[in-house]
Amino acid sequence: MKQVNALGRRKSAVARVYLVPGKGNITINGRDLNEYFAEDSLRYIVNQPFEVTGTAAQFDVKANIDGGGIKGQAEAMRLGIARALCEVDKEAYRPALKAAGFLTRDAREVERKKPGQPGARKRFQFSKR
């Protein structure tokens, strides 16, 4: 199997994921997973597709992440890894990943601030007189 690449997005974060057979090493922007995502919860999010499909320590992952915050980046990476695993073996991995909801792009984005208002939906206090 050659290198498989996929794209994952969440909020304003974009993760380009490259998957190759290996020992389970995950490199993000040239740094190790434990160094890049210091929190256990974020590392758990990134590893979820491997746990669901039972492929932990079978693939090496190299990812380039741009934009967003750390939570959005972790979720973008989860989507990218799930899509890459689907390209590796669609019949074996797709049903489990789809059932877990890892193949769905979460399209929620921040609503823009409107002019003459303090926020996207908030209004200044109304005064009748």
Side-chain angles (χ1 to χ4, degrees):
M1 181 194 113
K2 60 179 178 63
Q3 177 175 305
V4 175
N5 66 319
L7 191 71
R9 289 192 180 100
R10 172 74 172 101
K11 294 187 177 179
S12 60
V14 179
R16 291 186 303 279
V17 176
Y18 303 92
L19 204 68
V20 291
K23 295 186 167 106
N25 299 325
I26 299 176
T27 310
I28 305 160
N29 293 349
R31 292 159 58 192
D32 185 52
L33 172 72
N34 297 328
E35 188 185 334
Y36 195 85
F37 292 122
E39 286 184 41
D40 290 335
S41 60
L42 299 175
R43 288 194 295 264
Y44 174 75
I45 288 170
V46 170
N47 285 311
Q48 276 180 318
F50 295 123
E51 291 171 18
V52 167
T53 55
T55 54
Q58 289 184 19
F59 297 100
D60 284 349
V61 178
K62 183 179 172 290
N64 296 320
I65 304 181
D66 269 346
I70 54 168
K71 173 86 168 170
Q73 287 181 350
E75 292 182 7
M77 189 149 171
R78 176 175 66 187
L79 178 62
I81 291 170
R83 284 179 172 173
L85 283 170
C86 272
E87 283 187 41
V88 170
D89 191 351
K90 209 168 235 163
E91 292 175 9
Y93 303 141
R94 187 172 170 79
L97 290 167
K98 188 146 178 73
F102 298 151
L103 295 176
T104 306
R105 160 48 158 125
D106 191 348
R108 294 177 294 173
E109 299 263 346
V110 175
E111 190 174 333
R112 76 176 190 90
K113 182 193 169 300
K114 313 309 188 294
Q117 299 168 16
R121 300 283 175 101
K122 190 172 170 69
R123 304 284 184 263
F124 289 117
Q125 186 174 6
F126 175 74
S127 173
K128 196 173 224 175
R129 282 176 200 83

